């Protein structure tokens, strides 16, 4: 049985590394809701990617696998934000990328990149019984190669110490994108959740420019078009909104303002 990375029967969507290398801005969202339906809705809405948030969301691993199926069926690229210990399992379930919080050093970035890539590039453990390999149907050397080519690693930097090393972390082989977490960065810099504070914005600007200068894709939260324009001017190309904030805002508007004439049921 032969498949290519673009064959829709192959569970792994391997488009992301090329998307991250392209100049095209990518728009997606963090989603902490444990729901394949929300994944489908985000795909139909037109987002490029969804970050299944297993740092702050409540999905267990079984639900995560169902959400990965929903993403594959609807064509949205699924990234899983997870801690290091979950990384081997979410990759075997078929995640297109992992986005790891709080990467603090070049050494940590190298260790994570090694966990994501099979030998000879890294040290990822191999099994073809997994969903990613079609439960053996698409296993073998082809799967190893397609995984090494098609799975992305997005490192999150969320402290001033990490942002100061943005260029070095971005330059690590196997790092495809570096995402600045503005909320944690603002907290770590003593500004609570106010990431509009001038020193935090200066750190974000320097960090995004350093990542771009290292030839990797810079990412950041952008909650509105003005954010996106500002961060775009500083080099960002991977923009994440937050599904729960969008839904909560829409519900609040509906509750206070009544009906929307354009809404379809
Ligand atoms: C942060 O802003 O700290 C993030 O992790 C983005 O969700
Ligand atoms: Mg964070």
């Amino acid at each position: 049985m032969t498949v290519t990375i673009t064959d829709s029967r192959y569970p792994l969507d391997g488009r992301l590394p090329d998307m991250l290398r392209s100049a095209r801005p990518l728009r997606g969202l963090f989603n902490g809701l444990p729901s394949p339906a929300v994944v489908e809705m985000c795909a139909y809405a037109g987002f490029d990617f969804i970050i299944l948030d297993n740092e702050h969301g409540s999905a267990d691993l079984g639900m995560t696998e169902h959400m990965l199926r929903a993403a594959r069926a609807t064509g949205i690229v699924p990234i899983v934000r997870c801690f290091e210990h979950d990384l081997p399992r979410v990759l075997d379930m078929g995640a297109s990328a992992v986005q790891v919080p709080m990467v603090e050093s070049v050494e940590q970035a190298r260790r994570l990149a090694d966990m994501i890539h099979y030998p000879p590039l890294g040290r990822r453990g191999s099994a073809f019984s997994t969903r990613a390999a079609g439960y053996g149907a698409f296993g073998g050397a082809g799967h190893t190669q397609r995984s090494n080519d098609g799975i992305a690693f997005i490192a999150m930097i969320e402290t001033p110490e990490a942002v100061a090393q943005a260029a070095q972390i971005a330059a690590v082989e196997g790092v495809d994108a570096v995402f600045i977490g503005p909320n944690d960065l603002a907290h770590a810099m003593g500004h609570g959740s106010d990431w509009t504070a001038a020193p935090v914005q200066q750190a974000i600007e320097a960090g995004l420019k350093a990542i771009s200068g290292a030839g990797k894709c810079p990412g950041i939260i952008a909650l509105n078009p003005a954010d996106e324009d500002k961060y775009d001017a500083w080099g960002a190309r991977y923009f994440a909104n937050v599904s729960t904030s969008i839904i909560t805002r829409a519900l609040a508007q509906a509750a206070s303002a009544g009906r929307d004439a354009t809404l379809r049921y």
Side-chain angles (χ1 to χ4, degrees), residues 30 55-56 81 156 158 179-185 195 221:
F30 283 99
E55 179 185 11
H56 295 300
R81 170 157 76 171
M156 295 191 66
E158 312 192 70
F179 188 99
I180 299 181
N183 197 3
D184 277 315
L185 179 62
W195 68 71
I221 287 202

Side-chain angles (χ1 to χ4, degrees), residues 140-185:
H143 174 67
T144 304
Q145 185 68 46
R146 286 189 297 270
S147 302
N148 275 354
D149 292 343
I151 293 174
F153 170 31
I154 301 163
M156 295 191 66
I157 53 175
E158 312 192 70
T159 64
E161 295 76 17
V163 172
Q165 301 173 73
Q168 293 87 334
I169 290 172
V172 168
E173 204 168 331
V175 170
D176 297 283
V178 179
F179 188 99
I180 299 181
N183 197 3
D184 277 315
L185 179 62

Side-chain angles (χ1 to χ4, degrees), residues 24 32 37 39 49 54 59 97 170 178 199 202:
R24 180 164 85 82
V39 176
F49 64 86
N54 286 7
V178 179
Q202 280 155 17

Side-chain angles (χ1 to χ4, degrees), residues 3-16 19 35-44 47-50 52 63-80 93-97 131-135 138 143 146 150:
V3 294
T4 63
I5 203 152
T6 52
D7 187 326
S8 62
R9 292 176 307 156
Y10 185 52
L12 174 65
D13 183 333
R15 293 173 294 162
L16 190 60
M19 289 162 71
S35 165
V38 170
V39 176
E40 294 173 315
M41 289 164 70
C42 294
Y44 298 142
F47 287 100
D48 297 303
F49 64 86
I50 184 164
L52 309 181
M63 174 57 71
T64 302
E65 195 169 55
H66 286 317
M67 294 167 79
L68 291 168
R69 291 190 175 100
R72 190 63 172 136
T74 51
I76 188 168
V77 175
I79 296 151
V80 180
M93 288 175 193
S96 293
R131 174 175 177 270
Y135 311 103
F138 309 130
H143 174 67
R146 286 189 297 270

